[in-house]
Amino acid sequence: MKKLICLFLLINSYTALTQNFSIKEKKQIDSLLIIWNNFEEEDTTRADAFQDFILTYFLFNHPDSAYLLAKEYYDFSKKKKLKYRMSTALLFQGLSKYFVSDYEEAIDYYLRCLKLRINSGNKVGIASVYNNIGLVYQEQGAYSNALTYYLKSLKIEEDLKNESGIASTLNNIGIIYKEEGDFNAALEYYNRSLKIKLKLNDRMGESHALTNIGVVYLNQGNYEAALSNFEQALIANNGFEEDLNAQINYNLGSVHFELGHYNTALDYVNKALHTHLELNDRVHQSASLNFIASIHFKQNSTIKAISFALRALKIAQEIGAKEKISDITQNLSMFYKASNKPEEALDMYILFMDTQEKIDRENMSNEILRQSAQYEFDKKIARDSIENAYLLKVSKEKVNNEREKKEIAEQKSFFLFSGLFLTLCFGIFIFNRLKVTAKQKSIIETQKKTVDRANKELKQINEELVLKRNEINLQKQIVQGQNEKLTKTLETEKELGLLKTNFVSMASHQYRTPLAVIQSNVELLNLLISSGEKIESEKNEKISGRIKREISKMTELMDEVLVLGKLTSGNVTYNPQEIDLVEFCNELIERFNSIQEDGRVLDFEILGEPSCISLDVKLLTHSLSNLVSNAFKYSTGNKNPQLTINFKPKELLVSVKDYGIGIPESELSYLFQPFFRANNVTEIKGTGLGLNIAKEYIELNKGRITAASTLGKGSCFEIAFSAS
Ligand code: ADP
C-alpha cells in the first residue's frame, strides 16, 4: 500500500509538469512514467522509458524542465552504473542549456559527455557530441571552430558508413560555408547531403536540403535556380512540416519579388502569412506583413503599404522584436516620405535610428560576451590538453622511474652477489687460515683489498646514481616551470591581442553610431527645409537636441579613450601624498549633491577611527567619481546611494552602494572590461569605459576593487587599500 501511494505521488509530481499536453500525449506520458516508477522492472527498461519521456516531451519545448529531469536521469544512471546513459543524461543537460542560450554551460556538459563516450568507445555517440559542440560554436558565430567539430564528426560518420549522420553533418557544414559567404562550397555540401537524402528516400530531409540550396541561389541572385529548388522543396515537403512550408512560400515570394512578379509574390507571401497566423508565429507574421507592405509599395499602393507595415510594427513592438522594428520603421519612413508626409516620415526615422542604436549596442555587448566566452572556452580546452599532456608525462615518468629503480636494484643485487661471493671466498680463506702459507696470506690480503675496492666503487656508483637522479629531477622541474611560463605568456599574449582587437573595433564602432545619427538628423533637417514647410520650433529642438546629445556623447567618449590611451602607454603618473580621506569625501559628496536634478544626496557613513593615508588624489578622484556617478545614474527613482569609509586596523575600505537596477549575475565577470555595458542599461547613457579606467587607477593607487550586485536590488563597489 505504502509503495502504491509512493508511486502515485511520484507520477503526480511529474504529471504536474505535463499540464500543457494533449490527452493523447498525457496517456503516453503516464504509461512511460509507470514503467519508470516501477522498481521491479529492469534498470535498463526503466531508464529507456525515462529517457523517452525527457526526449519526446521536454527537451525541445521545455528545456528548463528537461534540464532538471536530465539531472535526475544522470543520478539514476550513475547509481545503477549505466555509463552510456550517464553520458546521454549529460548530453541532454547540455542540450537544455543550449536551447536557453547558455552556451558555456552547454559546452561543459558536452565535454563531460564526450569524455565518457570516448572511454566507452561508442563512435556514433562521439560523433553526435562533436556535432552538438559544432552547433554551439555556430550559434556563437565562431564558424571555423564549428567547422572543425563538424569535420571530426563527419570523419567518424564516414568510417561508420552511417548515411543519415553523414547527410546531416554535410548539411551543417553547408550552413557554415553559407554563413561565411562561400556559396560555392555551401552548394557543394548541400548537394552532397541532398544526394544521400534522396537515396534514403527521406522526403523531409530532401525538402530541407532543397530549401537550403534555394536560399544560396537566392543570395547569389540566381533566381531561376532558386525558383526551381524552392518549388521542388515544396513538393517534397507536401505540406507536412507546416513551418517549413511557410518558409518555402515566403522564399518563393522573395524570388518572384526580385523578378518583378509582384502579384505572384503577393500570393506566396499571403500563403506564408496564413500559416504563420495558424501557428501563432508572431515573429514571422510581422515579417510577412512587412514584406506584403513592400510589395504593395512596389505596386504603387502606398496607402495599403502603410497599413500593412503598421500592422507589422504593432506585432513587432508587442513581442519586442528589435530587428523587425528596425526593418519596418525604415520602410514606413520611406512610405510616408513618398506619400508626402514628412512629419510621420521623421517620427519613423527617429524610431528607426533609436532602434538601430539599441541593436548596435546589444550586438556589441553580445560580441564582447561572445568573445569572452570563446576566450574562456579556448583557455579551458588549452588547460585540458596541457593537463592531459601532463598526465601522460607523469605516467611516462612513472614508468621511467620504475625502470630506473629496477636497474638500480639489479645493479645493487649484482654488486651484492659479487660482494657476497667475494666475502664467501674470504671466509674460506679464513677458515683455512691455519693451513695458509705466506704466499696464500698475501693472496688473502690482495683479495681483501679487492673486496674493499669493490665496496668503495659500489658506494661511489650509488652516490653518482643518486646525484644523477637529483639532477634529472631538477631538469624536469625546470622544463615544467618553463612549460608553465610559456603557457602563461601565450595566454597573456592572446588576451592582449584580443583586447587590442576588441578595443579598436569597439572604439570605431562607438564613434560610427553617433556620427550616423548626426548625419541622418542633418539630412532630415535638409529634407524638411527643402519640403518648404515651416519647421516648428518643437521639431527643430528635437532634431538639434539629438545632434547635441550625440556630440556630447562623442566628447565624453573621446575624453575617456584619451585617458585609456595614456594608461596603456604607461604615461599616467603616480604621486602619492598624505590625505585626510574624510575631508576628501566630504568635498566629493558636496560636488555630486549639488548636481543631482532629482534632489537625491549621497548618504555618508564613517566606521572605525579615521586616520591619514597616502594616496594619489587625482587617481582617487577620478575612480571614486565614476563609482558615485554610476550609483546615481543606475538608481534613478530609488533611495539615496551611500558612501562608506571603514577604517580597519590593517586596511581601509571605501564602498559605494546603491539600490538601483543592479547587474545581471551572468555579466558580472565582464564588468571591468573596456566597452562593457550590461544588457539592462540600453536605455541609459554611457560609454562602458568608466569602470575599466577606475579599476586601472585604483590598482595604480595600490588598491583593489570588487563588485557585488543583485539584479533589481542594487550594487555595491568596494575599494580596499592597505592601511600601511
Ligand atoms: P557606463 O556607465 O558609461 O556605461 P562604466 O564603465 O562606468 O560605463 O560601467 C560599465 C557598465 O557596468 C555599465 O554600463 C552598467 O551596465 C554597469 N554598471 C556600473 N555601475 C553600475 C551600477 N551602480 N548599477 C548598475 N550597473 C552598473
Side-chain angles (χ1 to χ4, degrees):
M1 185 63 193
K2 205 169 163 196
K3 204 165 172 186
L4 259 180
I5 294 174
C6 182
L7 184 66
F8 177 74
L9 284 176
L10 274 169
I11 294 182
N12 259 358
S13 73
Y14 290 122
T15 37
L17 286 172
T18 61
Q19 275 164 2
N20 296 328
F21 292 106
S22 69
I23 296 177
K24 193 176 152 210
E25 284 171 330
K26 271 190 183 165
K27 262 192 188 161
Q28 284 161 347
I29 288 173
D30 280 348
S31 66
L32 287 175
L33 285 178
I34 284 173
I35 302 175
W36 165 240
N37 288 314
N38 183 356
F39 298 99
E40 264 137 40
E41 279 284 5
E42 292 266 326
D43 290 339
T44 47
T45 316
R46 291 181 58 202
D48 280 345
F50 200 46
Q51 188 170 311
D52 211 7
F53 169 63
I54 306 173
L55 180 67
T56 318
Y57 299 102
F58 288 92
L59 202 53
F60 301 100
N61 301 324
H62 308 280
D64 286 331
S65 311
Y67 176 72
L68 297 175
L69 292 168
K71 225 171 162 181
E72 190 171 337
Y73 185 42
Y74 178 81
D75 293 340
F76 172 80
S77 314
K78 193 172 173 192
K79 203 167 124 201
K80 304 289 181 186
K81 300 199 170 52
L82 301 171
K83 278 221 168 119
Y84 194 75
R85 285 156 202 280
M86 271 164 74
S87 80
T88 308
L90 289 170
L91 186 74
F92 281 5
Q93 290 183 70
L95 277 165
S96 331
K97 290 289 170 193
Y98 167 76
F99 287 133
V100 296
S101 308
D102 191 344
Y103 299 128
E104 218 176 317
E105 286 265 311
I107 290 278
D108 268 350
Y109 282 112
Y110 289 157
L111 289 180
R112 281 174 63 195
C113 166
L114 188 64
K115 249 184 202 160
L116 283 183
R117 289 192 170 177
I118 288 175
N119 272 341
S120 77
N122 183 315
K123 292 204 166 159
V124 182
I126 297 172
S128 120
V129 187
Y130 281 149
N131 249 327
N132 281 307
I133 296 182
L135 219 57
V136 174
Y137 274 128
Q138 181 184 323
E139 209 57 49
Q140 291 185 313
Y143 296 125
S144 69
N145 290 1
L147 195 60
T148 313
Y149 278 93
Y150 287 151
L151 289 173
K152 276 184 185 196
S153 164
L154 184 63
K155 167 120 198 1
I156 298 179
E157 304 280 16
E158 280 176 345
D159 285 349
L160 296 172
K161 300 195 169 43
N162 174 12
E163 302 240 296
S164 86
I166 297 175
S168 321
T169 314
L170 287 172
N171 186 58
N172 286 346
I173 297 177
I175 296 176
I176 297 292
Y177 280 120
K178 190 209 125 200
E179 292 298 335
E180 292 208 307
D182 188 343
F183 293 137
N184 288 335
L187 279 178
E188 184 197 321
Y189 279 90
Y190 285 150
N191 274 316
R192 277 173 67 189
S193 170
L194 175 64
K195 227 176 178 176
I196 300 174
K197 300 274 184 194
L198 283 168
K199 196 170 126 197
L200 297 175
N201 200 19
D202 170 0
R203 297 290 274 166
M204 274 311 90
E206 185 191 333
S207 176
H208 276 284
L210 286 164
T211 311
N212 284 339
I213 294 173
V215 171
V216 176
Y217 282 129
L218 181 61
N219 278 317
Q220 282 184 318
N222 186 346
Y223 301 124
E224 292 305 323
L227 210 55
S228 129
N229 277 284
F230 288 142
E231 277 163 359
Q232 287 178 58
L234 209 53
I235 296 168
N237 184 29
N238 197 19
F240 186 69
E241 256 186 56
E242 284 185 272
D243 48 354
L244 179 61
N245 217 46
Q247 189 194 332
I248 304 171
N249 276 324
Y250 186 96
N251 288 341
L252 277 165
S254 307
V255 181
H256 283 290
F257 181 83
E258 296 296 340
L259 290 170
H261 309 152
Y262 298 127
N263 282 333
T264 323
L266 206 54
D267 282 347
Y268 278 116
V269 187
N270 267 321
K271 275 188 203 161
L273 176 64
H274 188 71
T275 316
H276 296 320
L277 286 166
E278 269 180 3
L279 296 175
N280 197 21
D281 178 347
R282 311 262 285 153
V283 179
H284 287 108
Q285 274 170 35
S286 144
S288 295
L289 285 166
N290 190 34
F291 193 2
I292 294 175
S294 300
I295 302 174
H296 282 308
F297 185 67
K298 283 278 181 197
Q299 291 179 316
N300 293 326
S301 313
T302 319
I303 296 177
K304 267 192 189 167
I306 292 175
S307 126
F308 274 95
L310 285 175
R311 269 176 71 190
L313 183 60
K314 189 162 172 270
I315 297 176
Q317 282 173 328
E318 276 166 11
I319 56 174
K322 293 197 190 75
E323 308 276 350
K324 296 273 168 299
I325 298 178
S326 160
D327 290 349
I328 302 165
T329 45
Q330 193 177 19
N331 263 352
L332 271 168
S333 158
M334 183 167 72
F335 300 164
Y336 279 127
K337 224 194 252 178
S339 53
N340 220 0
K341 292 185 174 162
E343 256 177 61
E344 283 86 345
L346 173 66
D347 286 343
M348 283 303 146
Y349 196 79
I350 287 173
L351 193 52
F352 163 67
M353 286 309 294
D354 276 346
T355 319
Q356 200 50 46
E357 206 181 326
K358 274 183 208 153
I359 294 172
D360 283 349
R361 279 214 171 283
E362 247 173 51
N363 285 346
M364 212 161 58
S365 298
N366 289 340
E367 178 60 13
I368 293 180
L369 294 183
R370 191 190 72 70
Q371 289 203 19
S372 305
Q374 163 95 44
Y375 172 63
E376 284 304 320
F377 178 63
D378 285 348
K379 230 162 73 176
K380 202 182 293 161
I381 296 273
R383 215 179 295 133
D384 265 8
S385 61
I386 289 171
E387 214 173 87
N388 286 343
Y390 181 70
L391 284 179
L392 209 70
K393 208 173 113 194
V394 167
S395 69
K396 261 190 198 159
E397 268 173 17
K398 243 189 192 166
V399 172
N400 283 343
N401 277 346
E402 292 297 322
R403 197 179 299 145
E404 218 172 79
K405 265 191 206 155
K406 213 172 144 197
E407 274 169 14
I408 291 173
E410 274 169 5
Q411 276 176 358
K412 264 189 186 163
S413 56
F414 171 75
F415 283 117
L416 201 71
F417 279 122
S418 325
L420 266 177
F421 177 70
L422 291 173
T423 321
L424 198 65
C425 294
F426 183 61
I428 292 167
F429 278 120
I430 293 190
F431 182 70
N432 292 318
R433 78 182 184 281
L434 287 175
K435 294 184 208 161
V436 294
T437 58
K439 199 180 163 200
Q440 280 170 324
K441 241 184 185 174
S442 87
I443 293 173
I444 290 168
E445 281 303 311
T446 337
Q447 292 291 0
K448 225 172 118 184
K449 270 183 201 153
T450 319
V451 172
D452 279 348
R453 216 182 305 129
N455 265 340
K456 240 189 207 163
E457 271 171 22
L458 178 64
K459 227 171 148 187
Q460 208 174 331
I461 289 172
N462 258 340
E463 273 166 14
E464 271 172 24
L465 268 174
V466 171
L467 273 178
K468 266 209 181 115
R469 219 179 26 215
N470 286 346
E471 204 178 305
I472 290 172
N473 278 343
L474 198 72
Q475 292 287 356
K476 265 185 205 160
Q477 272 171 11
I478 293 174
V479 170
Q480 202 172 319
Q482 276 171 347
N483 262 348
E484 275 164 17
K485 252 193 210 160
L486 207 67
T487 321
K488 255 193 205 140
T489 321
L490 269 174
E491 274 186 11
T492 327
E493 270 299 303
K494 207 172 158 195
E495 201 162 0
L496 277 177
L498 193 72
L499 275 180
K500 247 192 233 164
T501 339
N502 261 349
F503 188 83
V504 173
S505 70
M506 298 300 162
S508 52
H509 189 96
Q510 293 269 1
Y511 281 115
R512 229 181 300 130
T513 314
L515 279 174
V517 178
I518 292 170
Q519 191 184 351
S520 60
N521 277 285
V522 171
E523 273 170 17
L524 268 170
L525 216 50
N526 282 340
L527 184 84
L528 284 174
I529 292 168
S530 62
S531 77
E533 262 191 57
K534 192 172 155 272
I535 308 172
E536 293 154 17
S537 68
E538 194 190 325
K539 196 164 290 161
N540 188 19
E541 263 166 34
K542 208 169 170 182
I543 297 173
S544 55
R546 286 177 69 84
I547 294 176
K548 272 187 209 152
R549 261 206 313 279
E550 296 305 319
I551 290 176
S552 86
K553 236 189 238 176
M554 285 179 70
T555 319
E556 193 185 327
L557 191 63
M558 173 84 81
D559 288 344
E560 288 190 331
V561 168
L562 283 177
V563 173
L564 261 188
K566 243 176 144 185
L567 253 171
T568 38
S569 59
N571 280 341
V572 179
T573 48
Y574 169 58
N575 296 317
Q577 65 185 79
E578 287 271 306
I579 59 161
D580 176 346
L581 199 61
V582 175
E583 192 188 319
F584 171 89
C585 284
N586 273 323
E587 279 169 19
L588 187 106
I589 291 168
E590 216 170 280
R591 195 152 45 77
F592 271 96
N593 286 352
S594 67
I595 54 169
Q596 298 314 313
E597 287 173 2
D598 58 5
R600 286 188 304 156
V601 291
L602 192 61
D603 290 337
F604 188 28
E605 188 180 17
I606 303 160
L607 303 172
E609 194 55 44
S611 58
C612 280
I613 181 165
S614 180
L615 289 171
D616 180 311
V617 178
K618 251 192 181 165
L619 299 178
L620 181 67
T621 312
H622 196 112
S623 29
L624 205 53
S625 298
N626 176 261
L627 299 185
V628 174
S629 138
N630 280 351
F632 275 111
K633 184 165 75 169
Y634 296 114
S635 71
T636 319
N638 289 299
K639 276 206 283 188
N640 288 341
Q642 186 170 356
L643 174 69
T644 308
I645 317 178
N646 189 352
F647 292 94
K648 290 180 138 188
K650 287 201 176 144
E651 60 180 355
L652 181 83
L653 303 175
V654 183
S655 64
V656 181
K657 189 175 165 103
D658 68 65
Y659 303 89
I661 59 170
I663 300 156
E665 197 189 335
S666 59
E667 297 181 40
L668 265 176
S669 54
Y670 310 112
L671 203 57
F672 297 101
Q673 290 189 6
F675 294 112
F676 169 75
R677 303 208 74 223
N679 272 329
N680 60 336
V681 300
T682 40
E683 304 291 334
I684 306 170
K685 208 176 110 196
T687 61
L689 287 177
L691 276 184
N692 180 255
I693 297 172
K695 182 172 186 277
E696 299 281 342
Y697 275 12
I698 289 163
E699 282 166 5
L700 274 176
N701 236 336
K702 310 208 183 322
R704 274 174 300 113
I705 179 165
T706 48
S709 183
T710 311
L711 193 63
K713 294 220 163 111
S715 312
C716 182
F717 289 82
E718 186 176 77
I719 311 173
F721 295 111
S722 148
S724 59

